[in-house]
Amino acid sequence: METLRPVPRTLLRDRAYAAIRDAIVAGEIEPGAVVRDADLAERLGLSRAPVREAFARLVDEGLLESKPQSYTRVTPLVAADVRDAAAVVGAMHELVTRVAVPRLRDADLEEMRAANDRFATAVRTGDVDEALRADDELHEVLVRVSGNRAAAATVARYTPLIRRLERQRFGEGGSCRSAGLHERLIEACADGDTDGAVRVTADIWRTLADLADPD
């Protein structure tokens, strides 16, 4: 997969941010690697300005660290940071699940089921990119239906820290236990069991937090 490719000259700051973030999460730019705005601007087909703005945002979100007049580099994977991020993201997902369950329509449930089917298939075939994409799409249904923009922004900000560790664990031959939990979540949602759906959501994100302590 080649994440760093030229992007259309629209929403340049956001597109630069997304491309660099995804390359970091995917491990194409490894922890500890020094990044230079001129180099990435050339690879992305952009000027340096949107790349610098993307760097600032990624520093704020914990994927880059910067020492003025010295370096900007990818942060190391720190277990405590992942646990903290998983706790925050999990709390947001519990919140949106509680709000969303009574609002879900049949089409929303079908969207969740389809995403979980793709997720399960991807896990079986070892397609990490598709597994994480399908997982995001499943949970995004609940975020979207809840209508909570603050929760959505928090999830978007901190999930990449978790995904980076997930990709590493899967690359090391780790397994994913979420497919069955997703089925339980969807069943609770279909039954209108808000409390049950919140409990399963908590289990899902607790499982992800445990990735930081695999032993």
Side-chain angles (χ1 to χ4, degrees), residues 49-81:
V51 173
R52 287 172 180 164
E53 293 181 58
F55 279 9
R57 184 172 171 185
L58 290 162
V59 168
D60 185 52
E61 294 180 1
L63 290 174
L64 292 178
E65 57 187 5
S66 181
K67 183 177 180 181
Q69 309 302 320
S70 182
Y71 62 77
T72 299
R73 65 189 179 193
V74 178
T75 55
L77 278 167
V78 178
D81 292 343

Side-chain angles (χ1 to χ4, degrees), residues 119-134:
F119 177 84
T121 299
V123 170
R124 285 197 303 271
T125 60
D127 188 341
V128 177
D129 291 326
E130 177 60 21
L132 296 181
R133 183 161 45 247

